[in-house]
Amino acid sequence: AQTIHQWPVAEIKAVGSPLSLGCTIKGKSSPNLYWYWQATGGTLQQLFYSITVGQVESVVQLNLSASRPKDDQFILSTEKLLLSHSGFYLCAWSPEQYFGPGTRLTVL
Amino acid sequence: QQQVRQSPQSLTVWEGETAILNCSYENSAFDYFPWYQQFPGEGPALLISILSVSNKKEDGRFTIFFNKREKKLSLHIADSQPGDSATYFCAAILGANTGKLTFGHGTILRVHP
């Protein structure tokens, strides 16, 4: 069975500080991987997707970047956090689009 | 322009009733429509989905009715239970294997015992 793990579970960070969020999927080879952002009480916005190692496509620009260093790993990062980055970050794999448990980010 | 719209924004039903959640879309090229259920603090979970070549899909108490001509679909939850209380998202994909989802804003469902 496939499992998807995200870390950390939650983060509280200061404006201007760097950020790195991780996602790992086990039990699925060469998955398509996706990052989503969800404001509190809001809809889900797809941020990035990757169909293979080393290849990442941006869907929206939010001063974030993503990388796929390994087949089973997807990283979301930024050098400088903004207040608007607060929210719930979700990783998913397709084609079924199963979501991970998410990371709650609060920027103060 | 909102590509996928959901209504109502929130819905309250009594236990045992059928809840009906509506969804419409703009792009006639969308060909796959998954519905997700999300509980507070958790990631969305795929509930049921339908391809645009079908007009109905059933899975237990959950049924999708799809009208391609009108670009509308609805999720019916029969015999609603308090445990069904959650936010439901309709999504649409252009190309079933691309994973490029567009989500609606969700319907908050409350089921009163």
Side-chain angles (χ1 to χ4, degrees):
Chain A
Q2 299 85 7
T3 58
I4 186 165
H5 175 62
Q6 288 188 242
W7 73 92
V9 172
E11 278 268 45
I12 299 175
K13 303 278 280 188
V15 170
S17 63
L19 174 76
S20 181
L21 303 180
C23 169
T24 298
I25 178 167
K26 298 298 183 186
K28 178 75 176 179
S29 62
S30 303
N32 290 357
L33 293 175
Y34 304 83
W35 277 112
Y36 287 83
W37 174 77
Q38 184 179 31
T40 301
T43 189
L44 292 100
Q45 173 66 61
Q46 196 175 84
L47 302 176
F48 298 94
Y49 68 93
S50 171
I51 60 174
T52 191
V53 174
Q55 183 180 16
V56 176
E57 298 294 330
S58 173
V59 178
V60 293
Q61 293 294 329
L62 286 178
N63 293 307
L64 295 167
S65 61
S67 63
R68 178 104 176 249
K70 300 179 185 178
D71 186 55
D72 63 352
Q73 196 173 81
F74 205 18
I75 306 296
L76 184 70
S77 60
T78 183
E79 293 291 324
K80 273 190 170 183
L81 279 166
L82 307 173
L83 284 174
S84 58
H85 285 137
S86 291
F88 199 36
Y89 288 85
L90 293 147
C91 180
W93 64 274
S94 92
E96 294 86 354
Q97 291 286 308
Y98 290 114
F99 285 83
T103 295
R104 173 72 59 190
L105 174 66
T106 303
V107 182
L108 302 173
Chain B
Q1 183 186 17
Q2 181 63 29
Q3 292 263 22
V4 178
R5 292 189 177 88
Q6 289 186 247
S7 64
Q9 191 171 3
S10 64
L11 175 66
T12 300
V13 299
W14 293 101
E15 183 175 357
E17 292 184 334
T18 296
I20 300 175
L21 290 67
N22 300 302
C23 180
S24 63
Y25 59 97
E26 298 288 329
N27 190 341
S28 57
F30 285 137
D31 58 4
Y32 177 63
F33 302 87
W35 284 83
Y36 294 87
Q37 179 189 58
Q38 186 178 30
F39 296 106
E42 298 182 8
L46 180 62
L47 188 63
I48 186 172
S49 61
I50 192 167
L51 290 168
S52 61
V53 294
S54 302
N55 55 25
K56 183 180 178 182
K57 176 79 173 288
E58 279 184 88
D59 185 357
R61 297 187 293 112
F62 302 93
T63 302
I64 299 174
F65 293 93
F66 181 70
N67 186 322
K68 188 171 184 176
R69 184 178 59 83
E70 295 186 8
K71 292 189 281 188
K72 291 181 179 179
L73 60 159
S74 59
L75 174 67
H76 291 227
I77 305 175
D79 188 24
S80 296
Q81 302 296 310
D84 295 331
S85 297
T87 299
Y88 292 80
F89 289 97
C90 171
I93 299 180
L94 195 65
N97 291 321
T98 65
K100 296 182 183 179
L101 263 71
T102 300
F103 280 83
H105 282 94
T107 293
I108 300 170
L109 173 67
R110 297 184 183 89
V111 182
H112 284 314

